[in-house]
Amino acid sequence: LHIKPDGVVNLHSYWRLIDHIEDEPSLDDIDNTVDALDRCIKASVDAHLVADVPINSFLSGGLDSSLIVAMARCELDRLDCYTIKFTEDAKKHEAMPDDAFYAGEVAKALDVKLNTIEVKPDIAELLPIMVHHLDEPIGDSAAINTFLICDAARQNGVKVLLSGMGADELFGGYRRHLANEIASTYRAMPSFIRRSIVSPIVNRLPVASSKGGFRLARWARRFVSFADLPDADAYLRSYSYFNSAELAALAGPESIPIVSSLVESHHEIFNSLSSRSLLDRMCYTDTQMFMTSLNLTYTDRASMAASTEVRVPYIDKEVV
């Protein structure tokens, strides 16, 4: 940010990932590339372990946090980890795998202590606190999970936590990445079949019953809601709660220029790598928008609300 004596303000980015993308190592030799990436991530984890206080870590049981914990455990005599556990009713409704189970398996394998925080219905009492600290509307409940973990850690005297944040964006780890790859093939199907047969059938599928949620049906309905769109539009819709018209109806007519500007920014970033694969374009867009505007934002605010620091080794510039 440059502010001149005459009051002229100039804001610009002093480092951009897109300017360095062509500097990436060759993937011709997979073994050497894997070794180089392994050394790079390990060096980043080691650097993030430098602190005057004990280091702990998030641990969901997924690849991202498990690798961070495994590498950190090589350097630390003791490492405590934290994970979220949901009630049986919540797991049944969401029809999702139980992170706490996998986190427990990883904790046993790596000999680390696992602290499990159960999310209970009284979490609604936290909403006013989270609204206050987040400063803007965020529709991702992960912000509450982050606060709960950081708050529990802080009560145990922990001030610094490692996180696997950023790996999904860099390595194509989101379900939507796969869904959009499938959508690009799906669009080769005759439009009559897609719109007159497939979509109507999928949209009639129930997504839940009195006994719980139907995960595949929910995903299928989500898929047909964006699969017919061009790549840039499909990718934006695959992880947006609302389309532009719905946002305008929700936030009022004066929001239309702002929403349009955001959509334009998204498409400009997505299309700036037009010569690269669809996966490259999705991941690059994630690093510039989803990771910074959502994930890092709520993580920073929720952790600071609990007076803790979250460190993100995957987003080290050398790793990226």
Side-chain angles (χ1 to χ4, degrees), residues 10-294:
N10 179 31
L11 181 67
H12 73 280
S13 175
Y14 62 87
W15 191 93
R16 300 191 312 157
L17 176 59
I18 195 170
D19 295 333
H20 301 271
I21 280 184
E22 297 306 326
D23 299 339
E24 65 187 15
S26 169
L27 297 181
D28 295 336
D29 187 338
I30 289 296
D31 290 336
N32 284 339
T33 302
V34 170
D35 288 342
L37 179 61
D38 183 65
R39 289 193 303 271
C40 191
I41 296 175
K42 183 65 168 61
S44 179
V45 171
D46 289 349
H48 284 79
L49 292 177
V50 177
D52 296 326
V53 295
I55 302 281
N56 285 197
S57 184
F58 287 76
L59 178 59
S60 68
L63 289 173
D64 310 335
S65 60
S66 298
L67 179 59
I68 295 288
V69 170
M71 288 183 166
R73 185 69 178 87
C74 292
E75 302 299 323
L76 301 175
D77 294 331
R78 176 188 171 93
L79 179 64
D80 289 2
C81 299
Y82 291 82
T83 194
I84 285 287
K85 178 182 180 180
F86 294 94
T87 63
E88 292 302 316
D89 282 346
K91 285 187 290 188
K92 193 191 307 179
H93 176 73
E94 288 296 323
M96 297 296 286
D98 184 6
D99 281 359
F101 169 78
Y102 295 102
E105 294 295 296
V106 173
K108 283 188 285 187
L110 298 177
D111 188 25
V112 299
K113 180 184 177 182
L114 182 65
N115 299 276
T116 303
I117 299 97
E118 186 173 54
V119 180
K120 298 178 180 178
D122 62 5
I123 198 166
E125 296 173 8
L126 265 182
L127 290 177
I129 298 172
M130 296 309 301
V131 168
H132 171 75
H133 286 294
L134 292 174
D135 290 335
E136 61 183 333
I138 292 178
D140 192 336
S141 60
I144 298 175
N145 298 346
T146 300
F147 176 79
L148 289 172
I149 287 179
C150 291
D151 188 52
R154 191 69 185 86
Q155 290 179 33
N156 288 339
V158 176
K159 296 181 179 179
V160 181
L161 290 154
L162 300 180
S163 168
M165 183 74 70
D168 285 319
E169 289 87 350
L170 293 176
F171 299 107
Y174 288 122
R175 284 192 302 270
R176 63 173 181 265
H177 293 145
L178 178 59
N180 278 272
E181 293 275 8
I182 295 172
S184 65
T185 304
Y186 173 77
R187 286 193 288 273
M189 186 187 299
S191 60
F192 171 78
I193 296 177
R194 297 197 313 267
R195 294 167 187 172
S196 302
I197 300 176
V198 177
S199 288
I201 291 175
V202 168
N203 283 321
R204 279 198 289 268
L205 294 175
V207 296
S209 72
S210 58
K211 295 183 179 180
F214 303 144
R215 181 172 41 171
L216 291 179
R218 190 170 64 210
W219 286 353
R221 287 179 65 165
R222 180 72 166 158
F223 177 80
V224 298
S225 73
F226 65 81
D228 272 332
L229 301 172
D231 284 340
D233 293 299
Y235 191 55
L236 178 58
R237 284 295 297 127
S238 70
Y239 66 97
S240 302
Y241 288 113
F242 307 104
N243 60 34
S244 298
E246 290 167 337
L247 272 178
L250 180 68
E254 64 274 12
S255 70
I256 293 176
I258 302 171
V259 172
S260 299
S261 175
L262 285 170
V263 173
E264 288 175 15
S265 296
H266 179 277
H267 287 16
E268 183 179 335
I269 292 170
F270 185 91
N271 293 321
S272 62
L273 294 183
S274 57
S275 62
R276 304 292 286 257
S277 69
L278 174 59
L279 183 59
D280 277 350
R281 283 179 281 160
M282 290 188 288
C283 288
Y284 177 65
T285 304
D286 281 346
T287 65
Q288 302 303 295
M289 299 197 79
F290 189 80
M291 184 176 77
T292 51
S293 299
L294 177 65

Side-chain angles (χ1 to χ4, degrees), residues 290-316:
F290 189 80
M291 184 176 77
T292 51
S293 299
L294 177 65
N295 285 346
L296 291 180
T297 297
Y298 79 65
T299 298
D300 188 51
R301 293 174 185 176
S303 60
M304 287 296 163
S307 299
T308 56
E309 174 191 348
V310 173
R311 297 183 176 182
V312 283
Y314 285 121
I315 316 179
D316 179 87

